[in-house]
Amino acid sequence: MISYKDLGLVNTREMFKKAIEGGYAIPAFNFNNMEQMQAIISACVECSSPVILQVSSGARKYANQTLLRYMAQGAVEYAKELGKNIPIVLHLDHGNSFELCKSCIDMGFSSVMIDGSHLPYDENVALTKQVVDYAHQFDVTVEGELGVLAGVEDEVSAEVAHYTRPEEVVDFVSKTGVDSLAISIGTSHGANKFKPEQCTRNADGILVPPPLRFDILEEIEKQIPGFPIVLHGSSSVPQEYVKIINTHGGALKDAVGIPEEELRKAAKSAVCKINIDSDGRLAMTAMVRKVFVDNPAEFDPRKYLGPARDELKKLYMHKCENVLGSAGTVE
Ligand code: G3H
Ligand code: 13P
Ligand code: ZN
């Protein structure tokens, strides 16, 4: 049993309290490899933002859970070396069983998500409570989820979305004891968040997605005032990356995300954690494709992963500074 406290990590409790009071959201960036981790930490140190390093079960399978955990421990030291001891959370994204959450808690994660959102309500309550009861013994914080997001990723998929029902949140939060709640108000996982028929088109022919359901968010906030809310599926799918990818041999069709203004608005409310994975994937892919097309003789991985890492850092700083508002919140 390894405690995250011995690794220099923190749980989400204090972070979320400050974020709600300050009207900003903490970035939760997924990572699977060293370049992503370097970009996340150097960006958040440079703009003085707290950060949640997020590991999905797919990431665990891809990279090995022990390596990822040591990378998070290394991230704490790396941040100090770069000059700022920013608060860092190591979080399990979309945990789907008690056993997986327990295994992460036992090896040093400071926060876990138990995603029972696909289960019947009572089963979601029972599973979430089981994880909370275990996690709280070690001061590990737990994120639960009510409502189902659309979108398809390796380990997360749902054909049909349904919004969170505000009338369920008080019961869910009080029965489970969760520390934060992920909700469904129209965000969606992946780079193709909406079907073209759900969108309109602007003058340039770019798809404009349907607006988020801020009315549902407001109703939830009324039911559980000041309770930390989480938004998944919050990539904005920057069209400049889509363009670079598609003009350098890629084939992304109708890729569309959540407009940044909507996320800015959400971050000012009780939404205090915003999950971003796909935008990082797009930034890396765009830069790697560009190097391969511009310099076909290049074969040193540092020459294409390096530019990808630089672009990722820029993207993450932009998110903290201009979208989530978390920049400058660490003394
Ligand atoms: O919400 C899902 C995350 O983007 C993780 O995706 O399961 O493909 O690692 P993944
Ligand atoms: P995106 O696919 O929009 O980046 O969402 C990531 C996410 O919700 C991770 O849990
Ligand atoms: Zn998610």
Side-chain angles (χ1 to χ4, degrees), residues 133-150:
D133 288 346
Y134 185 75
H136 282 184
Q137 293 175 58
F138 309 100
D139 205 18
V140 168
T141 41
V142 180
E143 175 183 326
E145 178 161 347
L146 269 180
V148 177
L149 273 70

Side-chain angles (χ1 to χ4, degrees), residues 129-173:
K129 183 172 173 2
Q130 188 188 13
V131 171
V132 170
D133 288 346
Y134 185 75
H136 282 184
Q137 293 175 58
F138 309 100
D139 205 18
V140 168
T141 41
V142 180
E143 175 183 326
E145 178 161 347
L146 269 180
V148 177
L149 273 70
V152 180
E153 296 277 307
D154 286 355
E155 300 283 324
V156 187
S157 81
E159 283 296 310
V160 188
H162 74 75
Y163 297 123
T164 305
R165 297 183 188 95
E167 61 275 20
E168 285 179 351
V169 297
V170 172
D171 188 69
F172 186 81
V173 163

Side-chain angles (χ1 to χ4, degrees), residues 162-302:
H162 74 75
Y163 297 123
T164 305
R165 297 183 188 95
E167 61 275 20
E168 285 179 351
V169 297
V170 172
D171 188 69
F172 186 81
V173 163
S174 56
K175 279 191 180 145
T176 59
V178 276
D179 302 281
S180 60
L181 182 68
I183 61 166
S184 172
I185 56 165
T187 60
S188 163
H189 289 112
N192 289 77
K193 298 193 184 298
F194 305 100
K195 298 194 178 77
E197 54 271 26
Q198 293 174 280
C199 304
T200 51
R201 282 192 195 268
N202 70 13
D204 301 322
I206 305 286
L207 291 175
V208 179
L212 294 183
R213 291 290 304 270
F214 281 97
D215 56 323
I216 298 178
L217 174 59
E218 275 164 30
E219 195 46 49
I220 291 169
E221 285 194 70
K222 266 190 218 150
Q223 298 292 326
I224 43 174
F227 193 81
I229 302 293
V230 177
L231 281 190
H232 282 247
S234 295
S235 279
S236 296
V237 187
Q239 292 302 306
E240 57 271 30
Y241 294 146
V242 174
K243 196 167 169 195
I244 294 172
I245 290 170
N246 285 341
T247 53
H248 292 77
L252 289 179
K253 201 170 174 298
D254 295 328
V256 64
I258 310 297
E260 291 187 342
E261 314 79 67
E262 297 206 326
L263 297 169
R264 246 195 313 262
K265 182 173 166 189
K268 289 184 181 145
S269 71
V271 169
C272 60
K273 171 175 181 270
I274 290 190
N275 287 9
I276 296 169
D277 187 358
S278 298
D279 283 356
R281 297 179 182 195
L282 291 167
M284 284 197 95
T285 302
M287 290 308 122
V288 170
R289 279 196 176 278
K290 193 165 172 347
V291 173
F292 283 165
V293 170
D294 294 350
N295 305 300
E298 191 54 72
F299 70 102
D300 178 346
R302 292 170 297 187

Side-chain angles (χ1 to χ4, degrees), residues 68-108:
L68 288 176
R69 206 277 284 160
Y70 275 98
M71 280 168 74
Q73 188 176 353
V76 173
E77 299 308 317
Y78 181 48
K80 284 188 209 157
E81 198 178 303
L82 292 176
K84 199 146 222 171
N85 195 5
I86 54 169
I88 301 174
V89 168
L90 178 61
H91 175 79
L92 170 69
D93 193 21
H94 294 286
N96 57 3
S97 68
F98 172 76
E99 291 70 28
L100 174 58
C101 292
K102 178 180 182 303
S103 155
C104 287
I105 294 165
D106 291 350
M107 75 174 320

